[in-house]
Amino acid sequence: MKRKAPDSSEKACMLCRRADVSAEVCGPTHREQGLCVHEFCLYLASGLEQRRTEREGICGFLPADIKKTIKAAARKSCFACGEHGAAIDCQGKDCSRSFHLPCASSNGCVTQFFKAYRSFCSEHRPEQAVPVRPDEETTCIICMERVDEKLSFGTMVCPACRGAWFHRGCIQGQASRAGRECFRCPQCKNKRKFLPEMLKMGIYVLFRPPAWEETGQYEELYERHSQCDAGQCLYREGRQQAQESGPWELLLCCSCASRGTHRHCSAVGAAVEAWECDGCAGIGPAPSAPPEPSAPSTSSKPGAEASSSSAAPASSKPDLAGSITSTSSQDESEASSSSATPATSESDLVSSRAGSQEESGSSPGSPAPESSPQAGRPGPE
């Protein structure tokens, strides 16, 4: 199959004779010392030795050795596309096949990016020896699409958990992004067995930090919550300020770490090491204001039951009967003049007071007993 000729503005690699190739397939292009070569083509070219360090020559390969390899490759044709310039030889026993690096993955060849950088054609490539088969509905753990019915060049499995199935292209993409430091099984997170198996199967893993750290995509995840979220922060310096220890030490929720409080603002003692916000504790948001304390009144007598039952449903309005029997004459005038108090005639007030005094056995003008509970308002549980 004939390949499309490279654009005149681009210079093709002298080893694979391709210019329109992704850097993920052939690596970066080096144009120096009169040569134009892909980095991966250099490492995988048969018979080409790296005689220097990577800072010398081109990635450690001497220009004279590269030119000799280019001349040797010109006499060999690729078994996949049929064109000359095939610099990679199959390392299988008694195999004479050669191929270009861009033709390798699309024709089932495996190239190993470690130690001797060996390559194998589709007939001699290594295969996974994991004794498992996917179910009919098994999907790739990365793209969630169906995988093949058995292990193949395009369908692979984790050798550690034997339950994570993925496509070759999907796991290669993850390896390119994660780098050697973070590349591991997407499911069981195993690295000791997973990484050598993937390298043997031709997955290229870069020696670099993960891509998400280079681009700063997850910098926000490294930021620590740094403010007091109590309903009322008592620290005079403000919610954003805190001390390393003491009452103004900032504690983060031990469950979500997305809420914080000063010890003093939530009454957390110095002996308490862990604090949990209301949301994680399952008790909801803290009340905006504490409940009002109840005042003493006379509700033990039968005569007060009628007045308390009539005022109980209207919780937002003052309890006239309870306030009259438990307060002074000045409180009575203030309650009757309030805008929230229902209109009541003076005769009703006098008769109510008189009836209450008669039942309690006290004379007019004498104060109600302080030990009796307040009528009309239930006490705290």
Side-chain angles (χ1 to χ4, degrees), residues 102-176:
C103 300
S105 59
S106 58
N107 289 275
C109 301
V110 167
T111 52
Q112 298 176 341
F113 292 88
F114 68 99
K115 292 185 178 180
Y117 290 86
R118 300 190 303 169
S119 302
F120 302 89
C121 68
S122 55
E123 293 185 2
H124 299 98
R125 70 188 180 214
E127 296 182 358
Q128 286 191 278
V130 184
V132 291
R133 292 179 65 92
D135 298 331
E136 294 181 359
E137 301 298 327
T138 301
T139 59
C140 172
I141 195 173
I142 299 175
C143 71
M144 303 308 293
E145 296 291 335
R146 293 279 299 274
V147 297
D148 296 340
E149 297 179 355
K150 61 179 181 179
L151 287 169
S152 63
F153 177 77
T155 297
M156 307 169 70
V157 67
C158 172
C161 64
R162 302 184 179 185
W165 292 83
F166 36 80
H167 299 115
R168 173 178 289 271
C170 295
I171 201 65
Q172 178 60 73
Q174 180 173 328
S176 300

Side-chain angles (χ1 to χ4, degrees), residues 11-77:
K11 194 172 182 180
C13 170
M14 295 180 176
L15 287 170
C16 70
R17 302 188 178 185
R18 294 282 296 274
D20 55 338
V21 187
S22 171
E24 294 185 359
V25 177
C26 291
T29 303
H30 296 271
R31 297 182 179 90
E32 51 187 293
Q33 302 185 39
L35 297 171
C36 179
V37 288
H38 293 132
E39 185 170 312
F40 295 172
C41 292
L42 284 174
Y43 281 98
L44 294 168
S46 300
L48 183 59
E49 296 183 8
Q50 191 178 30
R51 300 179 185 273
R52 298 289 187 269
T53 62
E54 293 188 357
R55 295 184 179 181
E56 299 179 77
I58 302 177
C59 299
F61 298 95
L62 298 178
D65 294 340
I66 298 174
K67 292 177 182 179
K68 290 180 182 178
T69 304
I70 294 173
K71 290 180 180 179
R75 297 189 294 266
K76 295 182 291 185
S77 59

Side-chain angles (χ1 to χ4, degrees), residues 275-287:
W275 169 80
E276 196 171 33
C277 67
D278 293 345
C280 294
I283 61 177

Side-chain angles (χ1 to χ4, degrees), residues 318-334:
D319 186 352
L320 289 179
S323 61
I324 292 172
T325 57
S326 60
T327 57
S328 62
S329 58
Q330 182 179 358
D331 294 335
E332 295 171 6
S333 61
E334 291 178 357

Side-chain angles (χ1 to χ4, degrees), residues 19 37 53 116 141 189 213 233 247 294 309 322 330 332 335 338:
V37 288
T53 62
I141 195 173
K189 309 304 179 185
E213 290 187 359
C233 180
S294 58
S309 62
Q330 182 179 358
E332 295 171 6
S338 174

Side-chain angles (χ1 to χ4, degrees), residues 70-245:
I70 294 173
K71 290 180 180 179
R75 297 189 294 266
K76 295 182 291 185
S77 59
C78 176
F79 85 96
C81 68
E83 295 190 13
H84 291 283
I88 304 174
D89 298 334
C90 175
Q91 300 300 310
K93 186 177 181 180
D94 299 330
C95 184
S96 59
R97 284 183 168 183
S98 300
F99 48 89
H100 302 105
L101 179 56
C103 300
S105 59
S106 58
N107 289 275
C109 301
V110 167
T111 52
Q112 298 176 341
F113 292 88
F114 68 99
K115 292 185 178 180
Y117 290 86
R118 300 190 303 169
S119 302
F120 302 89
C121 68
S122 55
E123 293 185 2
H124 299 98
R125 70 188 180 214
E127 296 182 358
Q128 286 191 278
V130 184
V132 291
R133 292 179 65 92
D135 298 331
E136 294 181 359
E137 301 298 327
T138 301
T139 59
C140 172
I141 195 173
I142 299 175
C143 71
M144 303 308 293
E145 296 291 335
R146 293 279 299 274
V147 297
D148 296 340
E149 297 179 355
K150 61 179 181 179
L151 287 169
S152 63
F153 177 77
T155 297
M156 307 169 70
V157 67
C158 172
C161 64
R162 302 184 179 185
W165 292 83
F166 36 80
H167 299 115
R168 173 178 289 271
C170 295
I171 201 65
Q172 178 60 73
Q174 180 173 328
S176 300
R177 293 185 295 271
R180 284 288 178 100
E181 182 179 350
C182 296
F183 183 56
R184 58 200 67 204
C185 173
Q187 177 169 288
C188 69
K189 309 304 179 185
N190 179 274
K191 184 178 181 180
R192 185 178 62 86
K193 291 184 178 181
F194 184 76
L195 178 58
E197 180 80 358
M198 295 299 105
L199 291 174
K200 184 187 75 173
M201 298 304 297
I203 300 302
Y204 175 62
V205 188
L206 296 169
F207 284 96
R208 72 169 195 188
W212 53 83
E213 290 187 359
E214 295 179 352
T215 57
Q217 295 178 357
Y218 298 95
E219 287 185 354
E220 295 182 359
L221 298 180
Y222 296 102
E223 295 180 3
R224 185 176 183 269
H225 190 75
S226 59
Q227 75 170 25
C228 174
D229 299 301
Q232 181 180 4
C233 180
L234 305 176
Y235 194 27
R236 66 191 327 180
E237 299 294 333
R239 295 181 180 271
Q240 303 290 341
Q241 304 298 323
Q243 298 179 2
E244 294 184 359
S245 60

